[in-house]
Amino acid sequence: MIQLTVNGQKRDVDAPADKPLLWVLREDLNIVGPKFGCGVASCGACTVHVDGKPVRSCSLPAGEAVGTSVVTIEGLGEGRLHAVQQAWIEAQAPQCGYCQPGFIMAAAALLTAKPKPTDQDIDDALNNICRCGTYSAIRRAVHRAAAILGGAT
Ligand code: FES
Ligand code: FES
């Protein structure tokens, strides 16, 4: 049994400590926003925040998340749309949508660390893979999110 804090709630999970966090979230906790893409920390579809940092949950043993605060896309806005999600809607960033939770989580972490990122900052921090090729829309969405967080309407 391991105890995790996910989206602000303490959750007891009957899973081995070496089970990847992604699969604990999806299979044991029915939190399915984090997606499975590659399973080897390459694509970013499974990105969640662990103590505010973007982490590829397919490659993190759940036991290593004990004692941390895990946030998934379901908890990002704390019951409302987060500014990044609002910007994503305004910029019409997704196509099929599969990769987008990972991009949004990575973008939210980037904007916390760097409130006014350049295109290069975005490309460096959001090295996720989108098979639909939404990269330019995602850059637009991140700039829009930066504007919203900076007080623009
Ligand atoms: S599924 Fe985790 S990085 Fe691809
Ligand atoms: S929107 Fe389809 S994979 Fe990115």
Side-chain angles (χ1 to χ4, degrees), residues 94-100 130-132 134:
Q95 286 195 34
C96 81
Y98 192 83
C99 68
Q100 301 287 322
C130 172
R131 292 187 65 170
C132 300
T134 61

Side-chain angles (χ1 to χ4, degrees), residues 4-151:
L4 297 173
T5 302
V6 183
N7 298 333
Q9 294 188 323
K10 291 207 186 311
R11 308 289 300 268
D12 292 319
V13 185
D14 187 8
D18 62 353
K19 183 170 179 174
L21 178 61
L22 173 65
W23 296 113
V24 168
L25 293 169
R26 292 183 60 85
E27 294 180 341
D28 298 302
L29 297 176
N30 198 28
I31 294 173
V32 296
K35 297 292 188 273
F36 172 71
C38 65
V40 292
S42 290
C43 74
C46 63
T47 301
V48 301
H49 293 174
V50 175
D51 284 343
K53 299 277 188 298
V55 168
R56 296 189 170 186
S57 62
C58 68
S59 300
L60 183 75
E64 292 186 23
V66 172
T68 71
S69 170
V70 176
V71 175
T72 70
I73 185 104
E74 287 88 344
L76 182 65
E78 299 175 349
R80 310 160 39 158
L81 276 185
H82 187 277
V84 176
Q85 293 169 304
Q86 182 63 42
W88 241 248
I89 293 168
E90 291 178 19
Q92 295 280 292
Q95 286 195 34
C96 81
Y98 192 83
C99 68
Q100 301 287 322
F103 271 101
I104 288 172
M105 296 307 285
L110 168 64
L111 289 163
T112 298
K114 197 168 270 204
K116 287 192 188 304
T118 64
D119 281 348
Q120 189 62 54
D121 294 331
I122 295 168
D123 291 350
D124 290 346
L126 276 61
N127 59 354
N128 302 30
I129 294 171
C130 172
R131 292 187 65 170
C132 300
T134 61
Y135 302 106
S136 60
I138 283 171
R139 269 184 230 113
R140 276 204 315 279
V142 175
H143 289 304
R144 176 68 190 133
I148 295 171
L149 288 164

